């Protein structure tokens, strides 16, 4: 075993078997520089990574915008608390995303996704329980899509720090999804669905 | 619809209409369909080969973290062909300082919140999740190379389980049409080169033609001619019995065709086709209603990951339903379970043949263990239903292990327990190495609180099936 392979093995164990992504090279960016054969050099991304930065960046902005609106307009204290958590969590992820993008000379989008903007316009017209429910229903779809997006980047991206960010963020986004499901049950009276049906979990923030 | 959206002010649209028009913003274009390769074959192969040692090391690290992988056969317990001993002991590792008893006394919420669920009870990733696809064990690769000079070796991954934790090879074949003969395999792996000689005079012309088709290789996602194949030379493809060796299983695995995106797809351990004549639903998730349906569609699912578009590109074989599919099904439907001399015709232990411990185990199976509620002895230990064991009560969803995102399993078909000792590893993805592991698994998941004596009796009973 030469020195280089030892370093790799140690690296693997240090990070636990959880890490060191192994992508399908069939989907790598042609012409990328390789750190060692089969492993893209740091900062080498493929079109999926780039699309991920766009979509995740817009999504985070939209989440934070909607959260700020809900923090002022929501009637249910649990919904308000959830909204504040959305602002905090999605802003912090977006800062990390911005760091990675900057190192690659890419810029993050400056606006939310069009569908998020349309929903926000709609939410601005609602009040009380109707607002809470409409906000939560939109959050449900948003978080379902974000989970899919993160899973997709984990499968199809190649840029290690970006994929690591997706891996680190996913359990939190899944937890957000569970919270939305629990809050929807609470505010609509319908039985909980999805993860909220099988995980009692920590009570939603009050 | 988009036209309507621009004509009506959003505020007066009911929310359902918003759902339809506005949330149409797409996820990435290759989230559902298999992306086309972006690189020439030679580059992909070079990089895959370079990655391979790390890929294999990473998977071995995961196995060693989760399981005791050692070779510890149960004294005196052999698989049905007498070629391989059955492995003993609980192999799933506990978190440091924990015991099975203490764990079983905790609530699912507590286990989840304190991250105490044994890693080996969680879904098992594919050796290379991002690529997935069929992976054959070394013994199958060698046999098919010897018999047919057909290459089943992938250049990007190797089979990841040690030989002693897989079914015996080659497995015996028992026919419902000839119970008096016992194993008719002659100790060989059925292949295109030898099937006629081995089965001549034992099966009907219709069954023989079905068998020929089941042994005929057809293009498959990783074994074909295109640049995203994972075999060195353009390939003749894969035959049904390359995984279902002798109608049993050689523990070849792939990823479920039934889930997207790629990172969330679960691993599938090849199931045995023994005793399938009594089964009413097929596939862990698909719940196809007949052997014919499954046989017809397996060429798009096991072969092409549930992506009929990719199948069309690489060369799909669509067997003709009234003739070919019927004959393939009729061949599969005469494959019997291995003998279980201690069971009577209704699947109950015979008191004159079973030991006290085995009889005690049967009692647990019907009583405190609740096993017979789903594994009904009278109907081949099946209930022809799917059940959701809700394992996600015990672990955090969304964590990633070797590039697999852990999502809940959801409802899965009840597996038969007949011939159990012949078909390690266990559960749909093969996450449990031994029968003793399955007892600890159900004890925890069903909240049974069995004591040590009851667990050992239940294990002894399961080995008689």
């Amino acid at each position: 075993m030469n020195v280089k392979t030892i370093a790799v093995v140690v690296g693997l164990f240090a990070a636990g078997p959880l890490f060191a992504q192994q992508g399908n090279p069939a989907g790598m960016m042609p012409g990328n520089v390789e750190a060692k054969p089969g492993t893209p050099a740091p900062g080498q991304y493929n079109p999926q990574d780039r699309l991920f930065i766009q979509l995740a960046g817009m999504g985070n902005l939209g989440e934070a915008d909607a959260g700020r609106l809900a923090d002022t307009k929501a009637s249910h204290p649990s919904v308000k608390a959830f909204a504040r958590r959305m602002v905090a969590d999605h802003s912090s992820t977006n800062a990390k995303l911005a760091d990675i993008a900057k190192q690659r000379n890419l810029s993050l989008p400056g606006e939310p996704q069009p569908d998020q903007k349309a929903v926000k316009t709609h939410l601005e017209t609602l009040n009380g329980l109707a607002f809470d429910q409409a906000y939560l229903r939109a959050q449900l779809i948003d978080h379902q899509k974000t989970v899919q997006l993160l899973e997709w980047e984990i499968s199809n991206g190649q840029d290690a720090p970006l994929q690591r960010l997706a891996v680190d963020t996913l359990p939190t986004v899944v937890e957000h999804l569970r919270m939305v499901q629990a809050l929807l049950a609470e505010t609509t009276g319908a039985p909980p669905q999805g993860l909220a049906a099988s995980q009692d979990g920590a009570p939603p923030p009050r | 619809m988009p036209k309507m959206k621009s004509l009506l002010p959003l505020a007066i649209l009911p929310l359902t209409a918003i759902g339809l028009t506005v949330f149409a913003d797409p996820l990435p274009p290759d989230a559902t369909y298999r992306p086309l390769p972006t690189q020439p074959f030679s580059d992909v192969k070079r990089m895959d080969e370079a990655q391979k040692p790390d890929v294999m090391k990473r998977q071995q690290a995961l196995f060693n973290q989760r399981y005791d992988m050692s070779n510890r056969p149960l004294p005196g317990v052999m698989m049905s062909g007498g070629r391989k001993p059955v492995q003993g002991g609980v192999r799933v590792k506990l978190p440091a300082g924990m015991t099975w008893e203490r764990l079983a006394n905790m609530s699912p919420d507590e286990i989840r919140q304190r991250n105490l669920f044994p890693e080996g009870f969680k879904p098992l990733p594919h050796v290379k999740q991002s690529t997935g696809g069929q992976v054959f064990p070394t013994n199958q690769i060698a046999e098919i190379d010897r018999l047919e000079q057909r290459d089943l070796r992938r250049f990007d991954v190797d089979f990841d389980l040690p030989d002693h934790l897989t079914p015996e090879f080659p497995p015996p074949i028992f026919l419902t049409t000839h119970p008096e003969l016992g194993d008719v395999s002659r100790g060989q792996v059925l292949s295109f080169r030898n099937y006629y000689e081995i089965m001549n005079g034992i099966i009907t012309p219709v069954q023989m033609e079905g068998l020929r088709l089941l042994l005929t290789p057809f293009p498959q996602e990783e074994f074909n001619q295109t640049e995203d194949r994972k075999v060195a030379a353009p390939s003749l493809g894969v035959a049904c019995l390359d995984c279902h060796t002798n109608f049993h299983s050689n523990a070849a695995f792939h990823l479920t065709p039934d889930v997207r995106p790629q990172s969330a797809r679960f691993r599938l351990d090849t199931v045995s086709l023994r005793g399938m004549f009594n089964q009413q639903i097929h596939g862990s998730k698909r719940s196809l209603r007949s052997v014919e349906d499954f046989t017809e569609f397996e060429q798009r699912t096991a072969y092409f990951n549930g992506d009929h578009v990719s199948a069309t590109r690489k060369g799909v074989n669509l067997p003709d339903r009234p003739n070919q599919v019927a004959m393939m099904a009729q061949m599969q439907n005469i494959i019997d379970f291995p003998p279980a001399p201690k069971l009577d015709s209704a699947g109950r232990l015979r008191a004159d043949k079973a030991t006290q411990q085995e009889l005690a185990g049967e009692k647990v199976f019907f009583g405190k263990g609740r096993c017979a509620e789903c594994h009904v002895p009278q109907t081949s230990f099946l209930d022809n239903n799917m059940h959701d064991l809700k394992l996600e009560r015990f672990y955090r969803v969304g964590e990633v292990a070797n590039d697999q995102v852990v999502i809940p399993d959801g409802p899965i078909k009840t597996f038969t327990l007949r011939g159990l000792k012949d078909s390690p590893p266990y559960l749909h993805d093969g996450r449990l190495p031994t029968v003793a592991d399955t007892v600890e698994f159900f004890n925890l998941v069903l909240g049974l609180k069995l004591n040590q004596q009851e667990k050992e009796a239940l294990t002894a009973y399961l080995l008689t099936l």
Side-chain angles (χ1 to χ4, degrees):
Chain A
M1 198 184 262
N2 61 28
V3 181
K4 199 167 137 201
T5 30
I6 291 172
V8 170
V9 177
V10 172
L12 272 176
F13 282 99
L18 285 182
F19 217 68
Q21 235 109 11
Q22 298 287 356
N24 181 355
M28 283 184 190
M29 187 69 177
N32 261 347
V33 181
E34 294 164 63
K36 55 176 185 160
T39 307
Q44 300 280 305
Y45 52 84
N46 67 6
Q48 283 85 351
D49 291 317
R50 195 155 178 180
L51 181 57
F52 174 74
I53 291 178
Q54 287 300 115
L55 294 178
M58 291 194 288
N60 283 328
L61 289 182
E63 280 293 329
D65 275 4
R68 276 186 287 271
L69 180 69
D71 187 18
T72 57
K73 286 197 80 171
S75 58
H76 198 301
S78 309
V79 179
K80 263 189 199 295
F82 171 81
R84 279 196 294 277
R85 174 142 179 213
M86 291 309 102
V87 178
D89 285 3
H90 286 274
S91 305
S92 118
T93 308
N94 219 35
K96 291 178 198 154
L97 190 66
D99 271 354
I100 297 175
K102 201 171 152 206
Q103 287 163 24
R104 282 142 190 66
N105 278 326
L106 299 172
S107 51
L108 281 196
E111 296 202 17
Q113 293 178 1
D115 56 349
Q116 291 174 317
K117 288 201 275 188
V119 167
K120 186 159 169 261
T121 311
H122 175 64
L123 287 174
E124 278 160 357
T125 67
L126 301 175
N127 289 299
L129 186 61
F131 175 90
D132 289 4
Q133 291 184 356
Y135 170 64
L136 290 171
R137 287 189 202 280
Q139 284 294 297
L140 181 70
I141 299 172
D142 247 16
H143 281 94
Q144 286 171 341
K145 285 170 71 171
T146 308
V147 167
Q148 299 304 107
L149 181 66
L150 293 165
E151 290 176 352
W152 170 80
E153 166 65 16
I154 292 166
S155 317
N156 292 21
Q158 70 166 43
D159 187 345
L162 211 50
Q163 290 188 303
R164 191 189 304 261
L165 181 67
V167 166
D168 291 345
T169 311
L170 184 56
T172 310
V173 175
V174 170
E175 174 59 11
H176 293 168
L177 179 61
R178 189 197 63 75
M179 290 162 75
V180 177
Q181 289 160 344
L183 285 169
L184 260 173
E186 212 175 314
T187 54
T188 63
Q193 47 175 280
L195 267 189
S198 54
Q199 294 187 350
D200 296 340
R206 305 235 154 231
Chain B
M1 281 315 255
K3 286 268 154 54
M4 224 171 84
K5 180 180 122 191
S6 53
L7 290 177
L8 291 175
L10 274 174
I12 63 161
L13 277 176
L15 202 74
T16 45
I18 296 238
L20 282 178
T21 55
V22 177
F23 283 113
D25 232 32
L27 279 163
D30 56 352
T32 296
Y33 291 88
R34 185 182 176 87
L36 288 174
T38 52
Q39 309 238 59
F41 176 74
S42 52
D43 267 350
V44 177
K45 178 163 178 287
R46 175 185 61 78
M47 288 195 269
D48 263 326
E49 284 171 341
Q51 287 179 357
K52 186 170 169 180
D54 286 350
V55 169
M56 298 315 298
K57 264 180 221 140
R58 184 180 75 157
Q59 187 78 344
Q60 288 319 310
L62 178 132
F63 275 124
N64 289 326
Q65 180 208 27
R66 293 186 175 192
Y67 311 106
D68 169 0
M69 303 289 282
S70 61
N71 188 357
R72 280 193 286 125
L74 275 175
V77 189
M78 298 297 284
M79 295 187 190
S80 300
R83 288 192 183 83
K84 202 183 237 186
V86 174
Q87 294 287 316
V90 177
R91 301 308 186 83
V92 171
K93 289 185 181 167
L94 283 162
M98 184 51 62
T99 67
W100 288 109
E101 210 160 24
R102 271 178 48 218
L103 193 65
N105 281 316
M106 291 180 179
S107 72
D109 279 339
E110 187 182 2
I111 292 174
R112 183 178 75 251
Q113 275 149 14
R114 294 177 54 196
N115 200 18
L116 292 174
F117 197 53
E119 293 289 319
F121 283 179
K122 294 182 184 171
L124 180 66
H126 189 281
V127 61
K128 194 170 186 182
Q129 182 77 25
S130 57
T131 305
Q134 300 189 349
V135 183
F136 302 93
T138 318
N139 48 19
Q140 180 77 19
I141 294 174
E143 254 329 83
I144 293 302
D145 183 43
R146 186 181 71 81
L147 288 159
E148 299 182 8
Q149 295 79 53
R150 183 159 54 86
D151 190 7
L152 289 176
R153 183 184 306 278
R154 285 174 62 156
F155 52 69
D156 60 338
V157 295
D158 286 329
F159 191 72
D160 56 7
L161 288 165
D163 181 64
H164 58 269
L165 296 176
T166 65
E168 70 187 321
F169 187 88
I173 305 172
F174 303 97
L175 299 179
T176 60
T177 47
H178 280 290
E180 78 288 2
L181 293 180
D183 172 19
V184 298
S185 73
R186 302 185 186 178
Q188 298 195 44
V189 171
L190 279 183
S191 84
F192 209 86
R193 300 275 188 220
N194 61 18
Y195 79 93
Y196 188 81
E197 189 190 323
I198 293 174
M199 290 297 174
N200 189 16
I202 305 181
I203 62 178
T204 68
V206 158
Q207 293 155 357
M208 189 70 88
E209 175 60 3
L211 180 56
R212 185 185 69 80
L213 290 162
L214 291 164
L215 289 166
T216 305
F218 290 107
Q220 187 273 348
E221 194 82 80
E222 289 77 35
F223 297 86
N224 60 76
Q225 284 72 32
T226 70
E227 49 286 271
D228 63 345
R229 68 177 190 263
K230 295 296 182 191
V231 59
S235 168
L236 292 172
V238 167
C240 301
L241 300 197
D242 285 344
C243 293
H244 302 285
T245 308
N246 288 1
F247 295 93
H248 188 48
S249 163
N250 58 21
F253 59 88
H254 63 131
L255 286 180
T256 179
D258 305 325
V259 174
R260 291 293 185 278
Q262 181 78 4
S263 59
R265 294 171 64 190
F266 55 77
R267 176 167 165 150
L268 276 178
D269 170 41
T270 300
V271 290
S272 178
L273 301 180
R274 293 171 173 174
M276 209 174 39
F277 48 80
N278 264 338
Q279 196 171 299
Q280 305 294 311
I281 61 174
H282 302 278
S284 48
K285 275 254 176 270
R286 256 159 291 157
S287 191
L288 300 189
R289 294 308 154 96
S290 67
V291 175
E292 286 80 0
D293 287 339
F294 207 100
T295 300
E296 185 176 1
F297 219 71
E298 189 76 327
Q299 307 243 359
R300 285 171 172 179
T301 49
Y303 278 53
F304 287 105
N305 299 285
D307 189 334
H308 62 291
V309 179
S310 187
T312 301
R313 173 169 166 258
K314 293 179 181 178
V316 71
N317 172 54
L318 300 174
D320 158 59
R321 174 88 184 199
N323 285 300
Q324 297 181 316
V325 170
M327 292 195 249
M328 290 160 87
Q330 287 181 50
M331 181 64 219
Q332 293 173 78
N333 280 335
I334 60 166
I335 304 299
D336 207 349
F337 288 119
K342 293 183 179 178
L343 292 187
D344 69 16
S345 304
R348 299 298 301 261
L349 276 185
R350 292 173 52 174
D352 60 329
K353 294 232 171 189
T355 66
Q356 284 309 312
Q357 193 190 32
E358 290 159 357
L359 287 164
E362 188 183 50
K363 248 200 187 121
V364 176
F365 192 83
F366 278 89
K368 193 173 169 188
R370 301 183 55 186
C371 318
E373 289 173 33
C374 298
H375 301 283
V376 185
Q378 182 270 130
T379 40
S380 302
F381 294 83
L382 297 166
D383 60 357
N384 293 309
N385 260 262
M386 294 168 66
H387 296 279
D388 190 347
L389 298 173
K390 295 201 180 354
L391 231 56
E392 68 275 16
R393 288 171 295 154
F394 295 91
Y395 61 75
R396 276 179 83 199
V397 171
E399 281 177 358
V400 179
N402 286 6
D403 302 343
Q404 184 194 32
V405 175
V406 176
I407 64 170
D409 292 318
I412 301 275
K413 169 197 80 180
T414 304
F415 282 53
T416 183
L417 304 181
R418 277 285 279 115
L420 187 70
K421 67 178 187 313
D422 284 7
S423 57
Y426 301 103
L427 296 196
H428 63 274
D429 56 1
R431 74 183 72 166
L432 302 179
T434 65
V435 173
D437 285 314
T438 69
V439 169
E440 287 298 356
F441 177 87
F442 281 97
N443 184 51
L444 184 64
V445 171
L446 300 176
L448 302 174
K449 300 198 171 39
L450 301 179
N451 64 35
Q452 191 55 30
Q453 206 182 353
E454 291 164 332
K455 288 179 194 168
E456 281 165 18
L458 187 54
T459 307
Y461 166 73
L462 291 171
L463 291 170
T464 67
L465 304 179

